[in-house]
Amino acid sequence: MAATIIDGKAAAKEIKQQLAAEAAELREAGRPVRLVAVQVGHDDASEYYTKMQARQAKAIGIDYQLVELPAEISQDEVVGQVLKLDADSSVSGLILQMPLPRHINAAAVQLAISPEKDVEGMHPENLGRILTGGGLVAPCTPMAAMELLRRACPELSGKEAVVVGRSTIVGKPIALMLQYMENSATVTVCHSRTKDLASHTRRAEVLIAATGLSQGRWTRYQQQRAAGKDAERPDLSPLISADMVAEAAVVIDVATNYIPAGFDESGEPLKADRGEVALKSVGDVDFEGAMQRASAITPVPGGVGPVTVAMLLKNTIACAKAGR
Ligand code: NDP
């Protein structure tokens, strides 16, 4: 039987309805609910994200402000601006938009955001709190993956969970959240040095994939070609093929890989209307194949992504409630 598709868009809609009610209560109580994004210089992808954040925040009653700083600003000046916003009691939460210009140290600027306004959950203090069951906020993508997992698989106790990917912002927090005492899975974490990945994924009752391997390969290939180097077109097939998925597994595919939609006979990527490479977004898991084996699976797009944005708004409301 085909797996149930875990609908991230529907989950995000439901979560945002709840958040809108909470935002309204805060406003009625005269409390500020304000999210500020700081962007240094211009970046097309970042512009897309800030527009989306603004639209979604406003839709649920969160004030949204984008502070745009010039690309040539110094590191100290950016830190100064962030510290000023952080000290402003009308600001509930702060986001530092990526990427930053090369001369700005992202980690140093991020530390200027206090843990109580860190709506992305990236402050070391907030990351550290995941070790003891979580604090005010946590990183948005792990929260989103866990939210969808709990909906598809409320009883995690004793389940074999395999997390593929161990980054600080995605894989590691998920692995820790899966071990929260009250509803705790047995967790295996796989990464690029893992021998025989399939032997781990095949016994996963819960499989969480978060590598972005295909995207990384495609990006490196393009960079090599742009530098005039000879490069063989990389294998862009999903890291986790259908035969690597256990029967009846619950699969949460966190990855978003933007890779060519196809290739022509000469091996060149197909082009879109305006001559740019036509891209599609896919996860780490062979979705069509895994549909025939898993009991439930998140699609890409439309799975973890929309819920990640909802979690950013959830963290904003949490910070607004705790506001100093
Ligand atoms: P990173 O590049 O920081 O980490 C990738 C991880 O994958 C690393 O731990 C790496 O191992 C592991 N890995 C790489 N190759 C393999 C392999 N062949 N086998 C097993 N593991 C491998 O990526 P992020 O954690 O930042 O992001 C992961 C994915 O999640 C990306 O696709 C990203 O786009 C997506 N993402 C999605 C979000 C959303 O809202 N849906 C938000 C954030 C990220 P090692 O540690 O050994 O290098």
Side-chain angles (χ1 to χ4, degrees), residues 28 31 38 45 66 126 180 186 266 274 282 287 295 307:
E28 273 162 32
R31 307 274 299 277
V38 176
L66 175 64
N126 287 322
Y180 282 168
T186 302
S266 64
R274 283 181 291 169
V282 294
F287 181 77
S295 60
V307 184

mmCIF file of all heavy atoms in Angstrom, residues 28 31 38 45 66 126 180 186 266 274 282 287 295 307:
data_model
loop_
_atom_site.group_PDB
_atom_site.id
_atom_site.type_symbol
_atom_site.label_atom_id
_atom_site.label_comp_id
_atom_site.label_asym_id
_atom_site.label_seq_id
_atom_site.Cartn_x
_atom_site.Cartn_y
_atom_site.Cartn_z
ATOM 1 N N GLU A 28 -3.855 42.291 22.612
ATOM 2 C CA GLU A 28 -4.920 42.782 23.501
ATOM 3 C C GLU A 28 -4.353 43.144 24.867
ATOM 4 O O GLU A 28 -4.817 44.062 25.537
ATOM 5 C CB GLU A 28 -6.008 41.723 23.646
ATOM 6 C CG GLU A 28 -7.050 41.817 22.540
ATOM 7 C CD GLU A 28 -7.868 40.552 22.424
ATOM 8 O OE1 GLU A 28 -8.098 39.888 23.451
ATOM 9 O OE2 GLU A 28 -8.258 40.221 21.282
ATOM 10 N N ARG A 31 1.041 43.892 24.635
ATOM 11 C CA ARG A 31 2.430 43.418 24.517
ATOM 12 C C ARG A 31 2.889 43.492 23.062
ATOM 13 O O ARG A 31 2.128 43.147 22.146
ATOM 14 C CB ARG A 31 2.510 41.944 24.977
ATOM 15 C CG ARG A 31 1.917 41.694 26.360
ATOM 16 C CD ARG A 31 2.928 41.936 27.449
ATOM 17 N NE ARG A 31 4.063 41.045 27.333
ATOM 18 C CZ ARG A 31 4.074 39.803 27.798
ATOM 19 N NH1 ARG A 31 2.997 39.313 28.389
ATOM 20 N NH2 ARG A 31 5.144 39.062 27.686
ATOM 21 N N VAL A 38 17.533 41.418 9.934
ATOM 22 C CA VAL A 38 18.652 42.284 9.554
ATOM 23 C C VAL A 38 19.323 41.680 8.334
ATOM 24 O O VAL A 38 19.726 40.512 8.342
ATOM 25 C CB VAL A 38 19.670 42.411 10.713
ATOM 26 C CG1 VAL A 38 20.887 43.232 10.270
ATOM 27 C CG2 VAL A 38 19.011 43.036 11.939
ATOM 28 N N ALA A 45 18.233 35.406 -3.092
ATOM 29 C CA ALA A 45 17.553 34.370 -2.295
ATOM 30 C C ALA A 45 17.086 34.955 -0.970
ATOM 31 O O ALA A 45 15.962 34.698 -0.515
ATOM 32 C CB ALA A 45 18.495 33.195 -2.051
ATOM 33 N N LEU A 66 12.141 44.908 8.129
ATOM 34 C CA LEU A 66 13.416 44.515 7.520
ATOM 35 C C LEU A 66 14.386 45.688 7.662
ATOM 36 O O LEU A 66 14.120 46.779 7.176
ATOM 37 C CB LEU A 66 13.208 44.162 6.042
ATOM 38 C CG LEU A 66 14.469 43.846 5.248
ATOM 39 C CD1 LEU A 66 15.153 42.593 5.783
ATOM 40 C CD2 LEU A 66 14.137 43.663 3.766
ATOM 41 N N ASN A 126 20.694 28.443 23.486
ATOM 42 C CA ASN A 126 19.473 27.738 23.072
ATOM 43 C C ASN A 126 19.794 26.355 22.515
ATOM 44 O O ASN A 126 19.051 25.401 22.738
ATOM 45 C CB ASN A 126 18.694 28.578 22.050
ATOM 46 C CG ASN A 126 18.010 29.760 22.712
ATOM 47 O OD1 ASN A 126 17.509 29.633 23.834
ATOM 48 N ND2 ASN A 126 18.011 30.907 22.063
ATOM 49 N N TYR A 180 14.362 12.916 23.821
ATOM 50 C CA TYR A 180 13.712 13.521 24.979
ATOM 51 C C TYR A 180 13.082 12.412 25.805
ATOM 52 O O TYR A 180 12.435 11.502 25.284
ATOM 53 C CB TYR A 180 12.645 14.529 24.541
ATOM 54 C CG TYR A 180 13.213 15.867 24.082
ATOM 55 C CD1 TYR A 180 12.413 16.799 23.427
ATOM 56 C CD2 TYR A 180 14.541 16.202 24.321
ATOM 57 C CE1 TYR A 180 12.917 18.026 23.029
ATOM 58 C CE2 TYR A 180 15.048 17.436 23.919
ATOM 59 C CZ TYR A 180 14.246 18.336 23.268
ATOM 60 O OH TYR A 180 14.743 19.546 22.876
ATOM 61 N N THR A 186 15.452 5.100 20.004
ATOM 62 C CA THR A 186 16.860 4.679 20.027
ATOM 63 C C THR A 186 17.471 5.260 18.751
ATOM 64 O O THR A 186 16.999 4.958 17.654
ATOM 65 C CB THR A 186 16.962 3.142 20.019
ATOM 66 O OG1 THR A 186 16.262 2.652 21.156
ATOM 67 C CG2 THR A 186 18.409 2.688 20.052
ATOM 68 N N SER A 266 22.834 15.861 -25.385
ATOM 69 C CA SER A 266 24.279 16.110 -25.308
ATOM 70 C C SER A 266 24.760 16.187 -23.858
ATOM 71 O O SER A 266 25.929 16.471 -23.588
ATOM 72 C CB SER A 266 24.631 17.397 -26.051
ATOM 73 O OG SER A 266 24.003 18.486 -25.399
ATOM 74 N N ARG A 274 13.821 31.652 -19.755
ATOM 75 C CA ARG A 274 14.746 32.780 -19.932
ATOM 76 C C ARG A 274 16.199 32.334 -20.121
ATOM 77 O O ARG A 274 17.129 33.111 -19.951
ATOM 78 C CB ARG A 274 14.630 33.742 -18.747
ATOM 79 C CG ARG A 274 13.364 34.603 -18.864
ATOM 80 C CD ARG A 274 13.247 35.570 -17.714
ATOM 81 N NE ARG A 274 12.981 34.855 -16.467
ATOM 82 C CZ ARG A 274 13.027 35.405 -15.270
ATOM 83 N NH1 ARG A 274 13.349 36.653 -15.137
ATOM 84 N NH2 ARG A 274 12.741 34.697 -14.202
ATOM 85 N N VAL A 282 14.184 18.545 -4.883
ATOM 86 C CA VAL A 282 13.973 17.161 -4.428
ATOM 87 C C VAL A 282 14.656 16.989 -3.075
ATOM 88 O O VAL A 282 15.531 17.766 -2.710
ATOM 89 C CB VAL A 282 14.550 16.131 -5.439
ATOM 90 C CG1 VAL A 282 13.800 16.161 -6.754
ATOM 91 C CG2 VAL A 282 16.036 16.356 -5.669
ATOM 92 N N PHE A 287 11.552 9.699 -3.520
ATOM 93 C CA PHE A 287 10.175 9.826 -3.013
ATOM 94 C C PHE A 287 9.241 8.786 -3.632
ATOM 95 O O PHE A 287 8.524 8.086 -2.911
ATOM 96 C CB PHE A 287 9.659 11.247 -3.287
ATOM 97 C CG PHE A 287 8.262 11.486 -2.797
ATOM 98 C CD1 PHE A 287 8.018 11.693 -1.452
ATOM 99 C CD2 PHE A 287 7.189 11.480 -3.682
ATOM 100 C CE1 PHE A 287 6.728 11.895 -0.985
ATOM 101 C CE2 PHE A 287 5.894 11.686 -3.223
ATOM 102 C CZ PHE A 287 5.671 11.892 -1.879
ATOM 103 N N SER A 295 5.406 3.833 5.506
ATOM 104 C CA SER A 295 3.999 3.989 5.910
ATOM 105 C C SER A 295 3.591 5.458 5.798
ATOM 106 O O SER A 295 2.423 5.765 5.575
ATOM 107 C CB SER A 295 3.788 3.485 7.339
ATOM 108 O OG SER A 295 4.591 4.220 8.230
ATOM 109 N N VAL A 307 6.660 24.075 7.329
ATOM 110 C CA VAL A 307 6.554 24.027 8.798
ATOM 111 C C VAL A 307 7.733 24.760 9.443
ATOM 112 O O VAL A 307 7.605 25.331 10.526
ATOM 113 C CB VAL A 307 6.440 22.560 9.301
ATOM 114 C CG1 VAL A 307 6.233 22.512 10.805
ATOM 115 C CG2 VAL A 307 5.280 21.857 8.605
#
